[in-house]
Amino acid sequence: MCSVLVRTFRFGALAYCPMGIDIPVCVPGTDAAGISLDEYLELLVQTAQCLKSLLPARTLCLRFDPPLDFASLEEKNACTALLARMPRIARAPAAVQPPDTVLLDLHLSEQALLQNMKPKWRYNIRLAQKKGVSVRVGTASDIDIFYRLYEITARRDNIAIHDKAYYRDLLCRAEERAGSGETPRVSLYIAEYEHEPVAAIITLFCKREAVYLYGASSNAHRNVMPAYLLQWTAIRDAKAYGSHIYDFYGIPPDSDEHHPMHGLYRFKTGFGGTIIHRPGSIDVPFSFGYTAYTAAERARTFWFKKIKKLFKR
């Protein structure tokens, strides 16, 4: 079973399967048993062709984000090389889900989780507690607090963010689902110091995994380390919820100190999880209009990730 989301626009539609087909695959570099990588990719093509008749007539492609976890960039690159040789599959111009991330095993005890962190990370968590940083679970009514902090973060780190309504809608819908007893659970955590909000994160919990979606922080009181206590609180809550893993959801592909997001790499990897690499989004094209659409996607990605950031400096 797989979920397929459809986005329609003036000249067609795009179908998206967020996590591909979740079946065992014998991934190089691991001892996992299952079908071969070639067979899995062929299965994606067959699945797309089966679903084509159920999608809008002008659907350009079915896009997958397959959960293929590689332990090294070399193994990931071997997968992308295989993709390039397959005639009915194409790599998407930009990944929908972050292809590189850190996964924390929540089957471990809290003591083991702390022990696996870098010593400075354990120290920072204790420091935040000692300094009186408090963490509370917010609601959709706290969206102004989160967004104000997020705007500060966006200016500091030169990142693009959605309008406030996007995050408000996420929290409101989550509260509606929680009221009906549905899962997963979306939570807003707010860290406060001397009654002042100094950092916040939004997380998603389900039984399979917990995901750290968004993080924001003030430029003030960074020395009391609120971000570390926020993450530790969310990790403990995810474990109590019954999630199997905690996904830090996106890091640079390696530890290159010159990468503009190297600080994010250091922060997330310091919690002691396992770094994994995925091939990114994969398309199965349906029409000739796909080529024009992906050219427009590449241009849009270049604008937002390169040109627009230059104007912000």
Side-chain angles (χ1 to χ4, degrees):
M1 185 178 71
C2 62
S3 299
V4 178
L5 309 176
V6 178
R7 181 182 181 183
T8 58
F9 41 90
R10 185 176 179 181
F11 302 107
L14 177 70
Y16 175 54
C17 184
M19 285 301 291
I21 304 171
D22 191 10
I23 60 174
V25 180
C26 183
V27 173
T30 73
D31 56 1
I35 64 175
S36 69
L37 190 55
D38 301 64
E39 291 171 326
Y40 180 82
L41 295 174
E42 182 60 34
L43 183 59
L44 292 185
V45 174
Q46 295 172 7
T47 301
Q49 295 302 327
C50 290
L51 292 173
K52 183 178 180 180
S53 62
L54 303 176
L55 300 171
R58 296 185 299 169
T59 301
L60 301 173
C61 69
L62 179 53
R63 178 163 294 175
F64 295 95
D65 258 310
L68 300 171
D69 297 349
F70 297 98
S72 71
L73 285 173
E74 290 75 18
E75 291 154 0
K76 169 187 170 180
N77 292 338
C79 175
T80 56
L82 175 61
L83 287 171
R85 297 194 298 270
M86 297 193 70
R88 293 180 292 171
I89 281 181
R91 290 191 68 193
V96 179
Q97 308 293 334
D100 308 285
T101 189
V102 181
L103 302 181
L104 201 60
D105 183 0
L106 296 182
H107 293 105
L108 301 175
S109 67
E110 287 188 13
Q111 182 178 0
L113 289 169
L114 285 167
Q115 188 60 38
N116 288 344
M117 293 180 192
K118 291 182 179 178
K120 185 66 173 178
W121 271 238
R122 293 195 300 271
Y123 173 82
N124 287 342
I125 291 170
R126 293 194 298 268
L127 176 66
Q129 293 170 328
K130 181 179 179 180
K131 292 291 185 180
V133 175
S134 62
V135 176
R136 66 179 177 89
V137 178
T139 66
S141 64
D142 292 306
I143 188 61
D144 288 340
I145 294 174
F146 171 79
Y147 201 73
R148 184 168 62 251
L149 293 169
Y150 210 18
E151 286 180 314
I152 293 171
T153 303
R155 288 192 295 269
R156 184 177 64 235
D157 297 339
N158 196 24
I159 60 173
I161 62 176
H162 297 288
D163 292 334
K164 186 192 300 183
Y166 176 91
Y167 307 99
R168 180 190 293 113
D169 186 57
L170 173 65
L171 295 173
C172 287
R173 289 176 181 268
E175 289 177 4
E176 291 171 2
R177 291 173 64 90
S180 63
E182 295 183 62
T183 56
R185 188 174 86 190
V186 176
S187 299
L188 167 62
Y189 289 88
I190 300 173
E192 297 176 333
Y193 177 67
E194 296 181 344
H195 308 292
E196 177 186 348
V198 289
I201 62 174
I202 294 178
T203 61
L204 180 147
F205 294 172
C206 61
K207 292 301 181 182
R208 173 178 171 171
E209 64 179 350
V211 184
Y212 163 38
L213 295 175
Y214 306 106
S217 61
S218 169
N219 291 330
H221 306 301
R222 295 168 68 83
N223 60 313
V224 297
M225 305 300 170
Y228 295 83
L229 185 58
L230 271 176
Q231 289 296 334
W232 178 234
T233 302
I235 290 167
R236 294 180 67 196
D237 285 357
K239 180 175 173 60
Y241 184 82
S243 300
H244 298 167
I245 60 173
Y246 187 87
D247 187 346
F248 281 92
Y249 201 58
I251 58 170
D254 55 37
S255 59
D256 179 8
E257 294 183 359
H258 300 291
H259 192 286
M261 302 302 287
H262 177 67
L264 189 70
Y265 181 95
R266 288 187 65 254
F267 177 72
K268 292 184 177 182
T269 57
F271 285 92
T274 301
I275 298 173
I276 62 148
H277 308 278
R278 293 172 178 149
S281 302
I282 297 171
D283 292 344
V284 179
F286 290 149
S287 76
F288 292 109
Y290 171 79
T291 301
Y293 174 78
T294 51
E297 263 195 326
R298 289 187 181 90
R300 182 178 183 275
T301 299
F302 182 77
W303 167 258
F304 279 100
K305 292 192 174 183
K306 300 293 185 180
I307 304 301
K308 196 170 182 180
K309 284 188 176 183
L310 287 175
F311 291 145
K312 286 184 176 181
R313 290 178 181 175

